[in-house]
Amino acid sequence: MSEGEVFHEKQRLELCAIHALNNVLQERVFTKETADEICKRLAPQCVVNPHRSVLGTGNYDVNVIMAALQSRELAAVWWDKRRTVQNLCMSKVHGFILNVPSRVSLGIVSLPLRRRHWLAVRQVNGQYYNLDSKLKSPVCIGGEAELRTFLTEQLSQDVAEMLLVVRREVEEDGSWLNPDSSSK
């Protein structure tokens, strides 16, 4: 499959969480409206919802991502960065959603600020792709070895975090972790 055949939503407003969800699912499932509904369910009594930007432009938190995945019979497993990505059982992982530092820009001017940004990584037809919504098109990472290198590099940033997107039963039985690595 070429990069042109890989589903890839591009960045709009502060909707990177929605783009990461749709990109990891490889279809447009979630919208700003569905994410806002999830926010309301998570904090029904709040006038100012703590799970999104007060400006209404997005900037959804991890709770929205987790609830969205649960609605699709999937789960988000937080990756403990003290482990090596060699411990991952890749065949059990549907995809990855990373939260990484990202530069802030106004038009063509890059500001000396960094904010948090959600991005997706997913295997499509045997190749892993970086589906960051800030990219012009998907970037082929390669096979499993190249993916492990990519994830290790991303996680080496102090504030980077990673969620494994797995089926619920995989979350429950812990099979996303290689059996020989559970004590590491």
Side-chain angles (χ1 to χ4, degrees):
M1 178 177 271
S2 72
E3 278 118 21
E5 297 168 347
V6 176
F7 181 86
H8 179 244
E9 277 188 1
K10 294 188 183 129
Q11 186 70 26
R12 192 171 65 81
L13 300 173
E14 292 181 297
L15 303 178
C16 58
I18 295 169
H19 303 315
L21 284 163
N22 291 337
N23 288 340
V24 83
L25 296 172
Q26 281 296 282
E27 63 178 316
R28 188 166 197 253
V29 176
F30 298 103
T31 63
K32 181 180 181 314
E33 292 72 28
T34 55
D36 286 342
E37 277 302 312
I38 292 169
C39 287
K40 288 177 191 166
R41 282 199 316 268
L42 291 172
Q45 305 301 321
C46 293
V47 175
V48 176
N49 195 293
H51 303 289
R52 66 177 177 209
S53 165
V54 294
L55 302 175
T57 55
N59 200 21
Y60 300 102
D61 73 9
V62 68
N63 299 293
V64 176
I65 290 174
M66 293 175 82
L69 290 170
Q70 288 170 356
S71 76
R72 304 285 296 182
E73 301 299 316
L74 295 167
V77 176
W78 174 75
W79 178 253
D80 184 344
K81 291 187 342 181
R82 294 172 295 185
R83 294 183 189 267
T84 171
V85 295
Q86 301 305 320
N87 293 347
L88 281 170
C89 181
M90 295 295 189
S91 64
K92 298 287 187 166
V93 180
H94 181 79
F96 305 87
I97 296 179
L98 289 89
N99 190 252
V100 297
S102 179
R103 292 198 179 280
V104 176
S105 59
L106 294 171
I108 60 168
V109 178
S110 184
L111 301 176
L113 303 170
R114 289 177 98 49
R115 295 197 59 194
R116 308 292 297 201
H117 177 67
W118 296 107
L119 66 94
V121 174
R122 163 84 190 261
Q123 184 182 45
V124 179
N125 288 351
Q127 294 294 305
Y128 288 93
Y129 287 88
N130 178 350
L131 302 169
D132 185 343
S133 58
K134 288 187 172 185
L135 296 171
K136 289 181 179 171
S137 62
V139 173
C140 184
I141 295 168
E144 202 173 291
E146 292 83 6
L147 172 67
R148 290 181 193 277
T149 300
F150 174 84
L151 295 175
T152 299
E153 288 169 0
Q154 291 295 311
L155 292 172
S156 70
Q157 302 174 73
D158 285 342
V159 294
E161 298 294 339
M162 180 169 73
L163 301 173
L164 312 178
V165 178
V166 299
R167 292 188 328 271
R168 278 193 186 166
E169 59 271 16
V170 170
E171 176 198 30
E172 291 166 6
D173 68 18
S175 59
W176 50 269
L177 194 59
N178 283 321
D180 58 341
S181 64
S182 57
S183 61
K184 293 179 187 171

